[in-house]
Every structure is written in C-alpha cells, then in structure tokens.
Short mmCIF file of all heavy atoms in Angstrom, two decimals:
data_model
loop_
_atom_site.label_atom_id
_atom_site.label_comp_id
_atom_site.label_asym_id
_atom_site.label_seq_id
_atom_site.Cartn_x
_atom_site.Cartn_y
_atom_site.Cartn_z
N LYS H 30 25.70 -76.26 69.73
CA LYS H 30 26.16 -74.99 69.50
C LYS H 30 25.84 -74.47 68.06
O LYS H 30 25.51 -73.26 67.85
CB LYS H 30 27.75 -74.99 69.64
CG LYS H 30 28.30 -73.56 69.69
CD LYS H 30 29.72 -73.64 70.27
CE LYS H 30 30.29 -72.27 70.50
NZ LYS H 30 31.62 -72.22 71.09
N MET H 31 25.89 -75.39 67.12
CA MET H 31 25.47 -75.02 65.72
C MET H 31 24.06 -74.64 65.55
O MET H 31 23.77 -73.57 65.02
CB MET H 31 25.81 -76.16 64.76
CG MET H 31 27.22 -76.45 64.50
SD MET H 31 28.17 -75.02 63.82
CE MET H 31 27.33 -74.89 62.27
N THR H 32 23.21 -75.39 66.33
CA THR H 32 21.77 -75.00 66.35
C THR H 32 21.54 -73.71 66.99
O THR H 32 20.79 -72.82 66.54
CB THR H 32 21.07 -76.14 67.16
OG1 THR H 32 21.14 -77.31 66.60
CG2 THR H 32 19.50 -75.73 67.13
N GLY H 33 22.31 -73.40 68.12
CA GLY H 33 22.24 -72.20 68.80
C GLY H 33 22.74 -71.01 67.86
O GLY H 33 22.18 -69.91 67.93
N LEU H 34 23.82 -71.21 67.14
CA LEU H 34 24.34 -70.20 66.30
C LEU H 34 23.38 -69.87 65.17
O LEU H 34 23.16 -68.73 64.84
CB LEU H 34 25.61 -70.68 65.69
CG LEU H 34 26.88 -70.63 66.66
CD1 LEU H 34 28.15 -71.29 66.04
CD2 LEU H 34 27.21 -69.16 67.04
N TYR H 35 22.70 -70.94 64.64
CA TYR H 35 21.71 -70.68 63.54
C TYR H 35 20.59 -69.88 64.17
O TYR H 35 20.03 -68.87 63.50
CB TYR H 35 21.28 -72.01 62.95
CG TYR H 35 22.16 -72.64 62.02
CD1 TYR H 35 22.59 -73.99 62.15
CD2 TYR H 35 22.74 -71.84 60.96
CE1 TYR H 35 23.47 -74.50 61.28
CE2 TYR H 35 23.71 -72.52 60.13
CZ TYR H 35 24.03 -73.84 60.24
OH TYR H 35 24.93 -74.42 59.39
N ALA H 36 20.10 -70.21 65.29
CA ALA H 36 19.05 -69.57 66.00
C ALA H 36 19.44 -68.12 66.27
O ALA H 36 18.62 -67.16 66.05
CB ALA H 36 18.56 -70.25 67.26
N LEU H 37 20.67 -67.95 66.69
CA LEU H 37 21.15 -66.65 67.11
C LEU H 37 21.18 -65.78 65.77
O LEU H 37 20.94 -64.53 65.76
CB LEU H 37 22.55 -66.70 67.68
CG LEU H 37 23.16 -65.42 68.21
CD1 LEU H 37 22.30 -64.71 69.19
CD2 LEU H 37 24.57 -65.67 68.79
N GLN H 38 21.66 -66.42 64.65
CA GLN H 38 21.80 -65.66 63.45
C GLN H 38 20.41 -65.15 62.99
O GLN H 38 20.23 -63.95 62.57
CB GLN H 38 22.36 -66.57 62.30
CG GLN H 38 22.85 -65.85 61.12
CD GLN H 38 21.68 -65.73 60.11
OE1 GLN H 38 20.79 -66.55 60.11
NE2 GLN H 38 21.71 -64.74 59.21
N ARG H 39 19.36 -66.00 63.05
CA ARG H 39 18.08 -65.62 62.70
C ARG H 39 17.52 -64.60 63.68
O ARG H 39 16.75 -63.61 63.18
CB ARG H 39 17.12 -66.83 62.65
CG ARG H 39 17.49 -67.87 61.63
CD ARG H 39 16.30 -68.92 61.37
NE ARG H 39 16.02 -69.69 62.49
CZ ARG H 39 16.67 -70.81 62.81
NH1 ARG H 39 17.75 -71.24 61.97
NH2 ARG H 39 16.47 -71.50 63.92
N LEU H 40 17.84 -64.63 64.93
CA LEU H 40 17.43 -63.56 65.88
C LEU H 40 18.07 -62.26 65.58
O LEU H 40 17.34 -61.23 65.60
CB LEU H 40 17.88 -64.04 67.35
CG LEU H 40 16.86 -64.79 68.15
CD1 LEU H 40 17.44 -65.24 69.47
CD2 LEU H 40 15.57 -63.87 68.40
N SER H 41 19.35 -62.31 65.12
CA SER H 41 20.05 -61.07 64.84
C SER H 41 19.51 -60.46 63.64
O SER H 41 19.20 -59.24 63.52
CB SER H 41 21.55 -61.39 64.63
OG SER H 41 22.11 -61.86 65.87
N SER H 42 19.15 -61.38 62.64
CA SER H 42 18.56 -60.79 61.41
C SER H 42 17.17 -60.16 61.68
O SER H 42 16.80 -59.07 61.11
CB SER H 42 18.39 -61.95 60.35
OG SER H 42 19.58 -62.49 59.98
N ALA H 43 16.34 -60.84 62.57
CA ALA H 43 15.10 -60.23 62.87
C ALA H 43 15.16 -58.98 63.64
O ALA H 43 14.43 -58.02 63.36
CB ALA H 43 14.31 -61.28 63.75
N ILE H 44 16.18 -58.87 64.55
CA ILE H 44 16.28 -57.69 65.32
C ILE H 44 16.69 -56.51 64.42
O ILE H 44 16.32 -55.39 64.66
CB ILE H 44 17.33 -57.90 66.39
CG1 ILE H 44 16.80 -58.89 67.51
CG2 ILE H 44 17.72 -56.60 67.05
CD1 ILE H 44 17.81 -59.31 68.52
N SER H 45 17.60 -56.77 63.56
CA SER H 45 18.12 -55.76 62.59
C SER H 45 17.22 -55.22 61.61
O SER H 45 17.48 -54.25 60.87
CB SER H 45 19.40 -56.25 61.92
OG SER H 45 19.11 -57.24 61.08
N THR H 46 15.91 -55.79 61.45
CA THR H 46 14.99 -55.38 60.52
C THR H 46 14.21 -54.09 60.93
O THR H 46 13.48 -53.61 60.10
CB THR H 46 13.97 -56.52 60.03
OG1 THR H 46 13.34 -56.92 61.37
CG2 THR H 46 14.75 -57.67 59.50
N THR H 47 14.37 -53.68 62.11
CA THR H 47 13.57 -52.56 62.64
C THR H 47 14.53 -51.51 63.28
O THR H 47 15.58 -51.87 63.77
CB THR H 47 12.55 -53.03 63.61
OG1 THR H 47 11.86 -51.79 64.19
CG2 THR H 47 13.19 -53.60 64.86
N LEU H 48 14.10 -50.22 63.16
CA LEU H 48 14.85 -49.15 63.64
C LEU H 48 13.97 -48.42 64.66
O LEU H 48 14.26 -47.34 65.11
CB LEU H 48 15.27 -48.12 62.57
CG LEU H 48 16.45 -48.65 61.73
CD1 LEU H 48 16.71 -47.68 60.60
CD2 LEU H 48 17.79 -48.72 62.59
N GLU H 49 12.87 -49.17 65.19
CA GLU H 49 12.09 -48.60 66.24
C GLU H 49 12.35 -49.28 67.52
O GLU H 49 12.25 -50.55 67.63
CB GLU H 49 10.63 -48.75 65.76
CG GLU H 49 10.15 -47.93 64.59
CD GLU H 49 8.71 -48.22 64.27
OE1 GLU H 49 7.87 -48.21 65.22
OE2 GLU H 49 8.37 -48.27 63.06
N GLU H 50 12.73 -48.55 68.56
CA GLU H 50 13.14 -49.16 69.83
C GLU H 50 12.05 -50.11 70.45
O GLU H 50 12.33 -51.14 71.02
CB GLU H 50 13.58 -48.01 70.80
CG GLU H 50 14.05 -48.56 72.17
CD GLU H 50 14.61 -47.46 72.96
OE1 GLU H 50 14.83 -46.35 72.60
OE2 GLU H 50 14.72 -47.75 74.24
N GLU H 51 10.80 -49.63 70.26
CA GLU H 51 9.71 -50.39 70.81
C GLU H 51 9.43 -51.76 70.16
O GLU H 51 8.87 -52.73 70.78
CB GLU H 51 8.40 -49.58 70.78
CG GLU H 51 8.42 -48.28 71.64
CD GLU H 51 7.17 -47.47 71.50
OE1 GLU H 51 6.29 -47.95 70.68
OE2 GLU H 51 7.00 -46.44 72.16
N GLN H 52 9.93 -51.90 68.91
CA GLN H 52 9.60 -53.13 68.15
C GLN H 52 10.83 -54.08 68.29
O GLN H 52 10.70 -55.23 67.90
CB GLN H 52 9.54 -52.74 66.66
CG GLN H 52 8.34 -51.93 66.36
CD GLN H 52 7.05 -52.61 66.71
OE1 GLN H 52 6.87 -53.79 66.36
NE2 GLN H 52 6.00 -51.96 67.21
N ILE H 53 11.96 -53.69 68.76
CA ILE H 53 13.12 -54.57 68.77
C ILE H 53 12.95 -55.81 69.57
O ILE H 53 13.21 -56.95 69.02
CB ILE H 53 14.33 -53.75 69.46
CG1 ILE H 53 14.87 -52.70 68.41
CG2 ILE H 53 15.47 -54.81 69.68
CD1 ILE H 53 15.93 -51.79 68.97
N PHE H 54 12.51 -55.71 70.76
CA PHE H 54 12.20 -56.97 71.62
C PHE H 54 11.01 -57.75 71.05
O PHE H 54 10.98 -59.02 71.33
CB PHE H 54 11.98 -56.56 73.07
CG PHE H 54 13.24 -55.96 73.67
CD1 PHE H 54 13.42 -54.60 73.78
CD2 PHE H 54 14.28 -56.81 74.10
CE1 PHE H 54 14.49 -54.00 74.34
CE2 PHE H 54 15.36 -56.25 74.71
CZ PHE H 54 15.50 -54.88 74.84
N LYS H 55 10.04 -57.13 70.41
CA LYS H 55 8.98 -57.87 69.79
C LYS H 55 9.38 -58.78 68.67
O LYS H 55 8.63 -59.70 68.28
CB LYS H 55 7.82 -56.89 69.30
CG LYS H 55 7.17 -56.17 70.46
CD LYS H 55 6.14 -55.14 69.92
CE LYS H 55 5.51 -54.37 71.07
NZ LYS H 55 4.43 -53.47 70.52
N MET H 56 10.62 -58.53 68.14
CA MET H 56 11.13 -59.31 67.00
C MET H 56 11.71 -60.66 67.41
O MET H 56 12.06 -61.54 66.65
CB MET H 56 12.18 -58.52 66.25
CG MET H 56 11.71 -57.19 65.63
SD MET H 56 10.30 -57.26 64.66
CE MET H 56 10.92 -58.19 63.26
N ILE H 57 11.83 -60.81 68.83
CA ILE H 57 12.42 -62.14 69.40
C ILE H 57 11.31 -63.18 69.42
O ILE H 57 10.42 -63.10 70.25
CB ILE H 57 13.01 -61.89 70.76
CG1 ILE H 57 14.19 -60.88 70.65
CG2 ILE H 57 13.57 -63.17 71.38
CD1 ILE H 57 14.87 -60.42 71.92
N ASP H 58 11.29 -64.14 68.54
CA ASP H 58 10.40 -65.21 68.50
C ASP H 58 10.65 -66.28 69.52
O ASP H 58 11.81 -66.74 69.69
CB ASP H 58 10.43 -65.88 67.13
CG ASP H 58 9.27 -66.83 66.87
OD1 ASP H 58 8.80 -67.55 67.80
OD2 ASP H 58 8.76 -66.87 65.76
N PRO H 59 9.70 -66.72 70.38
CA PRO H 59 9.97 -67.80 71.42
C PRO H 59 10.50 -69.01 70.76
O PRO H 59 11.20 -69.71 71.55
CB PRO H 59 8.55 -68.05 71.91
CG PRO H 59 7.80 -66.70 71.67
CD PRO H 59 8.30 -66.18 70.46
N ASN H 60 10.20 -69.31 69.48
CA ASN H 60 10.75 -70.51 68.88
C ASN H 60 12.27 -70.52 68.80
O ASN H 60 12.97 -71.50 68.91
CB ASN H 60 10.18 -70.72 67.51
CG ASN H 60 8.72 -70.99 67.54
OD1 ASN H 60 8.24 -71.70 68.41
ND2 ASN H 60 7.94 -70.55 66.58
N TYR H 61 12.79 -69.28 68.62
CA TYR H 61 14.27 -69.13 68.61
C TYR H 61 14.84 -69.48 69.88
O TYR H 61 15.95 -70.08 69.93
CB TYR H 61 14.61 -67.71 68.17
CG TYR H 61 14.18 -67.27 66.79
CD1 TYR H 61 14.03 -65.94 66.49
CD2 TYR H 61 14.03 -68.21 65.84
CE1 TYR H 61 13.66 -65.52 65.25
CE2 TYR H 61 13.58 -67.84 64.50
CZ TYR H 61 13.52 -66.56 64.17
OH TYR H 61 13.09 -66.13 63.01
N LEU H 62 14.22 -69.03 71.04
CA LEU H 62 14.77 -69.34 72.37
C LEU H 62 14.67 -70.85 72.64
O LEU H 62 15.66 -71.44 73.27
CB LEU H 62 13.86 -68.60 73.44
CG LEU H 62 14.06 -67.00 73.37
CD1 LEU H 62 13.08 -66.39 74.30
CD2 LEU H 62 15.51 -66.67 73.70
N GLU H 63 13.69 -71.52 72.12
CA GLU H 63 13.58 -72.97 72.31
C GLU H 63 14.70 -73.65 71.65
O GLU H 63 15.20 -74.67 72.16
CB GLU H 63 12.21 -73.47 71.81
CG GLU H 63 11.00 -73.11 72.72
CD GLU H 63 9.77 -73.62 72.13
OE1 GLU H 63 9.86 -74.48 71.23
OE2 GLU H 63 8.69 -73.24 72.71
N GLU H 64 15.12 -73.20 70.49
CA GLU H 64 16.25 -73.72 69.81
C GLU H 64 17.54 -73.56 70.51
O GLU H 64 18.46 -74.30 70.37
CB GLU H 64 16.33 -73.13 68.36
CG GLU H 64 15.24 -73.48 67.42
CD GLU H 64 15.40 -72.87 66.06
OE1 GLU H 64 16.52 -72.76 65.63
OE2 GLU H 64 14.39 -72.61 65.45
N LEU H 65 17.51 -72.48 71.46
CA LEU H 65 18.66 -72.31 72.33
C LEU H 65 18.61 -73.13 73.56
O LEU H 65 19.41 -72.92 74.54
CB LEU H 65 18.88 -70.89 72.62
CG LEU H 65 19.26 -69.89 71.39
CD1 LEU H 65 19.12 -68.47 71.91
CD2 LEU H 65 20.57 -70.20 70.88
N ASN H 66 17.51 -74.03 73.63
CA ASN H 66 17.25 -74.80 74.82
C ASN H 66 16.84 -74.01 76.03
O ASN H 66 17.20 -74.38 77.22
CB ASN H 66 18.50 -75.72 75.19
CG ASN H 66 18.72 -76.73 74.11
OD1 ASN H 66 17.86 -77.36 73.56
ND2 ASN H 66 20.07 -76.83 73.69
N PHE H 67 16.08 -72.96 75.86
CA PHE H 67 15.51 -72.15 76.91
C PHE H 67 14.05 -71.96 76.74
O PHE H 67 13.61 -71.63 75.65
CB PHE H 67 16.20 -70.83 77.08
CG PHE H 67 17.68 -70.90 77.42
CD1 PHE H 67 18.67 -70.65 76.41
CD2 PHE H 67 18.12 -71.20 78.61
CE1 PHE H 67 20.00 -70.75 76.65
CE2 PHE H 67 19.52 -71.28 78.98
CZ PHE H 67 20.42 -71.04 77.96
N GLU H 68 13.29 -72.13 77.82
CA GLU H 68 11.85 -72.00 77.77
C GLU H 68 11.35 -70.67 78.24
O GLU H 68 10.27 -70.24 77.89
CB GLU H 68 11.05 -73.08 78.47
CG GLU H 68 11.40 -74.50 78.13
CD GLU H 68 12.61 -75.10 78.83
OE1 GLU H 68 12.70 -74.74 80.11
OE2 GLU H 68 13.31 -75.81 78.24
N LYS H 69 12.15 -69.98 79.04
CA LYS H 69 11.79 -68.77 79.64
C LYS H 69 12.80 -67.59 79.43
O LYS H 69 14.03 -67.95 79.28
CB LYS H 69 11.60 -68.87 81.18
CG LYS H 69 10.55 -69.85 81.60
CD LYS H 69 10.47 -69.98 83.10
CE LYS H 69 9.46 -70.93 83.60
NZ LYS H 69 9.38 -71.01 85.04
N SER H 70 12.34 -66.40 79.22
CA SER H 70 13.17 -65.24 78.96
C SER H 70 12.54 -64.00 79.37
O SER H 70 11.33 -63.83 79.32
CB SER H 70 13.50 -65.15 77.50
OG SER H 70 14.35 -64.10 77.26
N CYS H 71 13.36 -63.07 79.89
CA CYS H 71 12.97 -61.74 80.21
C CYS H 71 13.99 -60.72 79.74
O CYS H 71 15.15 -61.07 79.95
CB CYS H 71 12.75 -61.60 81.74
SG CYS H 71 11.08 -62.13 82.25
N ALA H 72 13.52 -59.60 79.23
CA ALA H 72 14.56 -58.48 78.90
C ALA H 72 13.99 -57.36 79.69
O ALA H 72 12.82 -56.97 79.56
CB ALA H 72 14.63 -58.24 77.47
N LEU H 73 14.92 -56.59 80.34
CA LEU H 73 14.52 -55.46 81.19
C LEU H 73 15.47 -54.27 80.89
O LEU H 73 16.67 -54.40 80.67
CB LEU H 73 14.60 -55.79 82.67
CG LEU H 73 13.71 -56.88 83.16
CD1 LEU H 73 14.52 -58.23 83.20
CD2 LEU H 73 13.10 -56.59 84.45
N LEU H 74 14.96 -53.05 80.76
CA LEU H 74 15.71 -51.81 80.55
C LEU H 74 15.41 -50.85 81.70
O LEU H 74 14.28 -50.77 82.17
CB LEU H 74 15.40 -51.13 79.25
CG LEU H 74 15.83 -51.86 77.98
CD1 LEU H 74 15.34 -51.10 76.79
CD2 LEU H 74 17.37 -52.16 77.97
#
C-alpha cells in the first residue's frame, strides 16, 4: 500500500503539471502502474 501510495503521489504530481486535456493521460508513466502491481491499463472518455 505504501508503494502504491508513493506511486499514486508521483502520478498525481505528473498529472497536475499540465493544463492541456490531451496531455493529461500521456503523463501516466507505465512504470507507475507496475509499482501498483498492474501491467495493463486503459482509460476511455
């Protein structure tokens, strides 16, 4: 959980660095997801 929280904190920081909608999802690094113990991810709008 601590590893996940640290990864989530870095994800949140990365996401908050942009105010362009097209860039938000590009800020999610696959390495962060691996730290959350997930190898696959999809985001859909």
Side-chain angles (χ1 to χ4, degrees):
K30 192 162 187 178
M31 290 300 296
T32 302
L34 285 172
Y35 283 131
L37 183 62
Q38 191 273 334
R39 293 194 296 275
L40 266 173
S41 299
S42 298
I44 291 168
S45 62
T46 59
T47 181
L48 287 171
E49 296 182 38
E50 184 172 343
E51 295 179 356
Q52 296 296 320
I53 290 173
F54 293 98
K55 294 180 180 179
M56 304 304 292
I57 299 178
D58 192 320
N60 293 328
Y61 296 155
L62 293 173
E63 288 182 8
E64 291 181 32
L65 294 172
N66 294 316
F67 296 104
E68 301 91 36
K69 296 181 179 181
S70 179
C71 276
L73 302 97
L74 291 179

